[in-house]
């Protein structure tokens, strides 16, 4: 009579009434005890020795039971993989090809139960096993690891062959189900890399994910990146072994009270070091899973009939940068993202012909372009960048700093990109001090992340606050570095200040910006500590803040950093009560600092600019000059952009027209200024000074740019129509969530002779063109402008007057601001 049970439903054995070893067959208990307590090697050798010892025992039980021909004993699941932790379950299948006497399995199972081992068992034919696997994905995964123990080997081989054939045939339908199971596990157990009491098996990045990756590889559709994966799996298994021995229980949860004992058994310095090793292993496994599932998605999409014929694993998509993946026949669509970077198959990859060794900024440019477009960087692209790119020169080129800010400013989409860079060591190359905080646990119930991930999460939160500050670049970098001192002894704020004072100049920040960053890092806890511990009505409380930050822009930065830090810490760190206390303190400090944050001073015109102004005034025609700009570029690199000076007799719509021409030539405006001059007393001349860089490709020829500017100014080139046509023809690409544009009228104290309109928005091609057209359509004059692009954020100020040269009335200024908001959408 055949008995049935499922490996996923363990049957509890009868209570043996004593310690397990007392019920082992003669000699087995002593051999097992020697393996667990002896001075010999632990780790994988011990797990394999335990498996061999158990194999021999079970084979002897099958022989002693008098098994007839056509019966096989098969290890499945974890036991099938040939390794046993000290308290592992035994997953065993009694396979047969005909009727089996009821007593046969009982003669095997009861001695196992009597020995105190926990047994998951089943009795099935090959056909029954296949049927169960077809209905139960977990059972199918266990059978993928089927291993012959004793009896009819041909029967085991038939099972293995059939199960693998079924798995490969059903993979397109079952892999999405497998992925959903993984998502459910993450919801229940969290991410191993960030938990103080992680489940070594079920949490994301745990041992269960290694099994999933092996199962995916068995489909022949995709394979995981193998570098470091086996070592990471061994490390988690070693920790689980030590946990079993320390607790005497079959547990996978590394509880706080057990961590010191586990660390001691493994010869690790302390529990924090143990957790860092566990986190590093988990990140390796989780990253391998991300890479593999993206490959699976690509293959399944291709097989779903989207115009591609796909054959088996072996050769990557052309240009995809993958070491493994499916082959796509036919043209592969590649869309440019940035210089040297294109989108392909939903990932950022390197353009053809790119030489990473000649472009040290390329890793940051690729990362920024990917994050800003909601993509990730392909696995092999990141590996190639890590292998071939030279370290950045010191100080960093301007572009490198801008690309880092652009990456951080993408918010949530920056996280997987950052993880990919970190997995290949690119982050540590950029920020050497990062190694001290990488995977560092925070033994505080308030914190939900490790130190390094908390820094990234703070930058994510800060990205949503860039409209609140005049220097979003400083906010984002301060967010990334505010706890960098936690890798050193002593007060982390003080240590962080020392690090930032050294690091910021290396990143290319000037003395004033370095000082601001140092103040933000040193005092990132000051606002919340003062607001919650001091009397808000005491003048000394406000004075304590205004001694730390001495201008309104600095206060804005510290306020935003405080909130971003608390939100990234966890729900308990930021409440409505705390927010109200901090907001009240900031408001009082802002009143005391009012007027301290005046707009940027305008430098005197250069001799070249004055010459152009004189030429334009005398001829009545536009005069311009172009020169390549290479300051801040790395030695031997291409020029970073162009400095363009344009002088034109005053006329309406000049700013929008000139900006539109630059957008047509795919030139991104990094900074711009507009001013009025009257060099010969013949009437005002408008002088525009630009710093621009190519979005991708080469810079336009100066003669062509000059010709298009003159055609646009005389009306023979319809810039707006050309831009609209190009935008309509361009393929739509998914964007990323960004804060809405902010258009505000500055207080009257900002200027006595003009109305100042402040615009803060996410940068986009043609943004300045749209702003200029909207202001021109509103019938106001732009007397002076200060335009800056900081990473991916535009921070602009426009000094406006009416036709008579007077500041706008409050009502008129509000109407202009509303019109500009509408134009920016």
């Amino acid at each position: 009579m055949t008995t049935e049970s499922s490996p996923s439903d363990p049957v509890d054995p009868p209570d043996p009434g004593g310690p397990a070893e007392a019920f082992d067959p003669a000699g087995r208990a002593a051999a097992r005890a020697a393996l667990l307590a002896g001075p010999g090697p632990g780790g994988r050798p011990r797990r394999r020795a335990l498996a061999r010892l158990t194999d021999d025992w079970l084979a002897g039980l099958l022989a002693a039971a008098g098994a007839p021909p056509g019966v096989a004993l098969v290890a499945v699941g974890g036991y099938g993989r040939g390794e046993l932790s000290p308290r592992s379950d035994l997953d065993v299948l009694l396979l047969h090809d005909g009727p089996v006497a009821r007593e046969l399995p009982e003669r095997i199972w009861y001695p196992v139960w009597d020995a105190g081992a926990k047994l998951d068992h089943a009795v099935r034919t090959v056909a029954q096993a296949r049927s169960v696997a077809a209905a139960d994905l977990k059972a199918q995964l266990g059978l993928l690891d089927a291993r012959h123990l004793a009896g009819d080997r041909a029967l085991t081989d038939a099972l293995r062959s059939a199960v693998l054939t079924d798995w490969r045939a059903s993979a397109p339908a079952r892999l999405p189900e497998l992925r959903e199971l993984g998502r459910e596990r993450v919801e229940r157990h969290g991410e191993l890399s960030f938990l103080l009491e992680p489940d070594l098996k079920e949490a994301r990045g745990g041992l269960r994910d290694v099994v999933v990756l092996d199962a995916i590889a068995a489909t022949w559709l995709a394979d995981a990146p193998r570098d470091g994966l086996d070592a990471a799996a061994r490390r988690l298994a070693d920790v689980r072994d030590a946990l079993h021995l320390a607790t005497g229980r079959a547990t996978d949860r590394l509880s706080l009270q057990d961590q010191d004992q586990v660390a001691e058994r493994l010869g690790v310095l302390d529990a924090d070091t143990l957790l860092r090793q566990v986190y590093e292993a988990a990140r390796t496994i989780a990253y391998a899973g991300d890479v593999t599932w993206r490959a699976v998605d690509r293959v399944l999409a291709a097989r779903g009939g989207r115009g591609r014929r796909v054959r088996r694993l072996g050769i990557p998509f052309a240009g995809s940068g993958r070491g493994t993946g499916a082959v796509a026949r036919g043209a592969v669509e590649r869309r440019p993202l940035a210089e040297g970077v294109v989108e392909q198959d939903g990932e950022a990859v390197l353009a053809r012909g790119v030489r990473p060794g000649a472009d040290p900024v390329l890793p940051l440019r690729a990362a920024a372009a990917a994050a800003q477009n909601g993509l990730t960087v392909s696995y092999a692209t990141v590996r190639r960048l890590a292998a071939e790119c030279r370290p950045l020169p010191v100080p960093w080129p301007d572009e490198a700093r801008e690309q880092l800010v652009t990456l951080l400013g993408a918010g949530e989409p920056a996280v997987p990109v950052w993880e990919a860079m970190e997995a290949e060591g690119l982050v540590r190359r950029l920020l050497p001090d990062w190694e001290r905080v990488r995977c560092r646990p925070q033994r505080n119930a308030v914190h939900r992340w490790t130190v390094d991930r908390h820094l990234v999460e703070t930058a994510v939160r800060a990205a949503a606050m860039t409209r609140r500050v005049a220097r979003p670049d400083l906010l984002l970098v301060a967010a990334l570095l505010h706890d960098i001192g936690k890798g050193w002894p002593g007060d982390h704020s003080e240590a962080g200040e020392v690090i930032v004072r050294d690091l910021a100049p290396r990143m290319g920040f000037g003395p004033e910006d370095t000082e601001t960053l140092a103040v933000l890092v040193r005092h990132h806890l000051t606002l919340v500590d003062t607001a919650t511990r001091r009397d808000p009505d005491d003048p000394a409380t406000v004075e304590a803040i205004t001694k730390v930050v001495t201008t309104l822009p600095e206060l804005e930065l510290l306020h935003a950093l405080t909130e971003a830090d608390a939100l990234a810490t966890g729900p308990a760190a930021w409440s409505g009560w705390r927010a109200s206390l901090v907001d009240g303190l900031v408001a009082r400090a802002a009143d005391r600092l009012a007027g301290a944050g005046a707009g940027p001073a305008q430098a005197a015109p250069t001799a070249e600019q004055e010459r152009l102004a004189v030429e334009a005034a005398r001829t009545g025609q536009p005069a311009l000059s172009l020169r390549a700009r290479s300051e801040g570029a790395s030695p031997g690199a291409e020029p970073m952009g162009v400095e363009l000076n344009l002088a034109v007799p005053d006329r309406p719509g000049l700013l929008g027209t000139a900006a539109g021409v630059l957008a047509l030539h795919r030139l991104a405006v990094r900074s711009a200024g507009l001013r009025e001059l009257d060099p010969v007393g013949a009437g005002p001349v408008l002088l525009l000074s630009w710093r621009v860089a190519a979005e991708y490709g080469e810079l336009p020829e100066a003669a062509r740019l000059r010709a298009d500017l003159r055609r646009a100014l005389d009306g023979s080139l319809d810039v707006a129509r050309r831009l609209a046509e190009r935008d309509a023809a361009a393929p739509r690409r998914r964007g990323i969530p960004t804060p809405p544009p902010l258009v505000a009228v500055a207080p009257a104290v900002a200027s006595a002779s003009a109305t100042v309109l402040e615009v803060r928005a996410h940068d986009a091609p043609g943004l300045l063109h749209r702003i200029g057209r909207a202001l021109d359509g509103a019938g106001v004059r732009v007397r002076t402008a200060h335009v800056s692009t900081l990473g991916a954020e535009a921070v602009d100020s426009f000094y406006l007057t009416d036709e008579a040269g007077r500041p706008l009335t409050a009502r008129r200024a509000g109407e202009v601001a509303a019109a500009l908001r509408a134009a920016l959408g």
Side-chain angles (χ1 to χ4, degrees):
M1 181 175 179
T2 302
T3 61
E4 292 281 348
S5 62
S6 169
S8 60
D9 300 320
V11 177
D12 292 328
D15 183 3
E21 285 75 4
F23 294 85
D24 283 346
R28 176 179 175 271
R32 186 174 183 277
L35 273 175
L36 298 181
R44 177 170 286 174
R46 180 173 60 196
R47 289 191 293 275
R48 287 178 171 170
L50 283 172
R52 287 194 300 270
L53 182 64
T54 305
D55 292 352
D56 295 341
W57 176 40
L58 293 178
L61 290 176
L62 181 67
V71 172
L73 198 60
V74 182
V76 297
Y79 180 31
R81 289 186 287 276
E83 294 186 23
L84 280 178
S85 290
R87 299 287 175 176
S88 287
D89 297 352
L90 301 181
D91 301 324
V92 182
L93 173 64
L94 186 64
L95 200 62
H96 61 95
D97 62 1
V100 175
R102 181 186 186 91
E103 295 78 12
L104 177 63
E106 293 178 352
R107 290 171 183 169
I108 304 170
W109 308 151
Y110 274 91
V112 176
W113 289 332
D114 290 343
K118 193 171 182 180
L119 179 68
D120 289 351
H121 65 88
V123 181
R124 296 194 178 105
T125 65
V126 171
Q128 290 169 340
R130 294 176 69 184
S131 178
V132 170
D136 184 345
L137 179 57
K138 293 180 180 178
Q140 187 169 41
L141 293 179
L143 290 173
L144 289 176
D145 292 310
R147 181 172 59 87
H148 182 72
L149 295 178
D152 189 343
R153 181 177 292 275
L155 204 56
T156 304
D157 291 342
L159 173 69
R160 284 183 51 82
S161 176
V163 167
L164 283 171
T165 299
D166 293 345
W167 176 238
R168 286 164 186 154
S170 63
R174 306 223 75 173
L175 286 178
E177 182 184 354
L178 181 58
R179 189 171 200 172
E180 187 57 34
L181 286 177
R183 288 174 176 150
E184 292 173 0
R185 281 193 292 106
V186 174
E187 290 178 3
R188 291 195 305 270
H189 300 283
E191 297 193 53
L192 202 163
S193 298
F194 309 117
L195 297 170
L196 282 177
E197 293 186 308
D199 188 306
L200 299 170
K201 183 177 181 180
E202 302 293 347
R204 177 175 181 260
L207 291 167
R208 180 75 71 189
D209 281 340
V210 179
V211 176
V212 169
L213 292 175
D214 288 341
I216 294 173
T219 67
W220 289 350
L221 295 180
D223 193 12
R226 293 290 163 177
D227 286 356
L229 184 59
D230 186 59
R234 285 202 311 271
R235 188 59 187 168
L236 293 187
D238 291 349
V239 174
R240 184 171 65 171
D241 288 358
L243 179 62
H244 285 187
L245 292 172
T247 62
R249 294 181 289 110
T251 178
D252 297 315
R253 184 167 298 280
L254 186 59
S255 299
L256 290 173
Q257 66 265 24
D258 300 323
Q259 290 173 9
D260 287 324
Q261 295 180 65
V262 172
E264 183 179 356
R265 280 187 173 273
L266 292 172
V268 174
L269 179 64
D270 54 28
D272 275 5
T273 304
L274 170 68
L275 277 184
R276 290 191 76 177
Q277 292 180 356
V278 168
Y279 293 164
E280 287 173 353
R283 288 194 189 182
T284 298
I285 295 167
Y287 178 60
D290 291 342
V291 170
T292 305
W293 280 116
R294 289 201 303 271
V296 168
D297 287 343
R298 188 169 63 245
V299 172
L300 295 185
R303 285 195 165 189
R306 299 184 188 177
R308 299 177 195 259
R309 293 174 58 197
V310 184
R311 70 169 184 250
R312 203 178 72 182
L313 169 72
I315 307 173
F317 284 119
S320 71
R322 283 256 187 234
T324 57
V327 176
R329 296 182 179 180
V332 177
E333 187 178 7
R334 298 166 66 88
R335 292 193 292 265
L337 298 175
E339 178 62 28
V341 186
V342 299
E343 176 186 354
Q344 178 182 306
D345 293 317
E347 296 178 319
V349 303
L350 297 184
R352 295 186 179 94
V354 168
R355 294 180 298 125
D359 188 356
V361 181
L362 186 56
L364 279 172
R365 191 185 310 121
Q372 285 291 327
N373 286 279
L375 308 171
T376 191
V377 186
S378 81
Y379 167 68
T381 294
V382 179
R383 288 182 61 84
R384 185 180 173 195
L385 291 171
E388 298 183 26
C389 282
R390 293 179 287 111
L392 286 169
V394 177
W396 289 9
D398 291 347
E399 187 197 1
R401 190 173 61 257
E402 292 167 358
Q403 296 294 352
L404 174 64
V405 172
T406 301
L407 167 62
L408 299 176
E412 194 67 39
V415 175
V417 177
W418 188 272
E419 289 177 340
M421 294 175 62
E422 190 172 60
E424 298 301 331
L426 286 169
V427 171
R428 283 169 282 176
R429 185 185 301 179
L430 292 170
L431 307 170
D433 287 282
W434 195 261
E435 181 61 25
R436 285 182 169 267
V437 297
R438 184 173 183 270
C439 295
R440 181 173 289 275
Q442 303 201 76
R443 294 186 178 275
N444 183 322
V446 174
H447 277 278
R448 60 181 298 194
W449 305 110
T450 54
V451 176
D452 58 334
R453 181 59 179 268
H454 169 69
L455 295 176
V456 176
E457 290 291 333
T458 304
V460 167
R461 297 287 187 167
M465 304 176 186
T466 51
R467 304 293 180 270
R468 293 169 40 177
V469 299
R471 289 296 302 275
D473 56 333
L474 297 183
L475 171 62
L476 293 168
V477 172
L480 183 69
L481 300 177
H482 75 280
D483 276 349
I484 197 73
K486 285 187 174 179
W488 296 83
D491 186 302
H492 77 276
S493 297
E494 295 178 0
E497 178 187 7
V498 173
I499 294 170
V500 167
R501 288 190 183 280
D502 173 68
L503 180 58
R506 295 170 59 86
M507 298 171 71
F509 286 105
E512 291 185 6
D513 290 348
T514 296
E515 181 63 28
T516 299
L517 288 170
V519 168
L520 293 174
V521 171
R522 174 66 181 86
H523 294 285
H524 67 272
L525 298 176
T526 298
L527 271 181
V528 71
D529 286 349
T530 305
T532 55
R533 299 176 183 177
R534 301 277 292 273
D535 180 2
D537 296 322
D538 187 344
T541 301
V542 174
E543 185 178 359
I545 300 303
T546 56
K547 283 183 177 180
V548 170
V549 289
T550 57
T551 67
L552 279 174
E554 280 189 347
L555 181 63
E556 290 175 347
L557 287 167
L558 187 59
H559 187 193
L561 175 60
T562 299
E563 185 173 341
D565 180 21
L567 290 172
T569 298
W574 193 246
S575 62
W577 171 74
R578 285 195 173 195
S580 65
L581 291 178
V582 170
D583 290 348
L585 178 58
V586 169
R588 291 181 176 87
D591 288 342
R592 183 169 295 188
L593 295 174
Q602 198 160 34
T606 65
E608 175 68 7
Q609 291 170 338
E610 289 183 341
R611 182 189 68 77
L612 293 173
V614 169
E615 180 182 341
R618 288 178 175 171
T619 64
Q621 298 295 319
L624 62 87
S625 67
L626 291 163
R627 72 180 181 89
R629 182 181 185 275
S630 56
E631 293 91 338
S634 56
E638 295 293 324
M640 287 185 57
V642 165
E643 285 189 355
L644 184 154
N645 289 298
L646 173 65
V648 184
D650 193 6
R651 56 180 293 171
L654 175 62
L655 176 63
T657 299
V661 172
L662 298 182
L664 273 179
H665 286 267
R666 298 195 182 277
L667 291 173
V669 177
R670 306 309 303 172
S671 64
L674 181 150
R675 70 171 76 192
E676 287 185 349
L677 297 176
D678 189 358
V680 295
V685 170
L686 292 181
L687 177 67
L688 293 95
S689 305
W690 311 80
R691 179 166 72 88
V692 298
E695 293 178 19
Y696 44 80
E698 296 181 354
L699 293 166
E701 295 180 0
R704 183 180 175 189
L705 184 60
R706 184 183 291 107
D708 282 351
L709 281 167
R710 287 176 174 167
R711 289 173 56 213
L713 291 172
D714 67 23
S716 60
L717 174 62
D718 189 339
V719 175
R721 181 178 63 82
R722 289 279 301 276
L723 285 173
E725 290 173 349
R726 189 182 72 183
D727 291 344
R732 292 192 176 274
R733 182 183 291 122
R734 57 179 174 173
I736 60 171
T738 59
L742 174 68
V743 180
V745 180
V749 295
S751 174
S753 58
T755 297
V756 180
L757 197 66
E758 297 179 342
V759 180
R760 297 175 185 176
H762 192 76
D763 192 30
L767 175 66
L768 190 55
H769 169 66
R770 296 200 301 276
I771 293 173
R773 289 193 68 196
L775 294 177
D776 184 43
V780 296
R781 295 179 58 204
V782 182
R783 196 191 71 189
T784 307
H786 302 277
V787 175
S788 298
T789 305
L790 304 170
E793 297 298 314
V795 181
D796 305 339
S797 298
F798 301 93
Y799 289 67
L800 310 177
T801 66
D802 59 19
E803 292 298 329
R806 299 185 299 264
L808 307 181
T809 65
R811 178 178 178 181
R812 183 79 179 102
E815 293 172 346
V816 173
L820 185 50
R821 289 190 199 101
L824 296 179

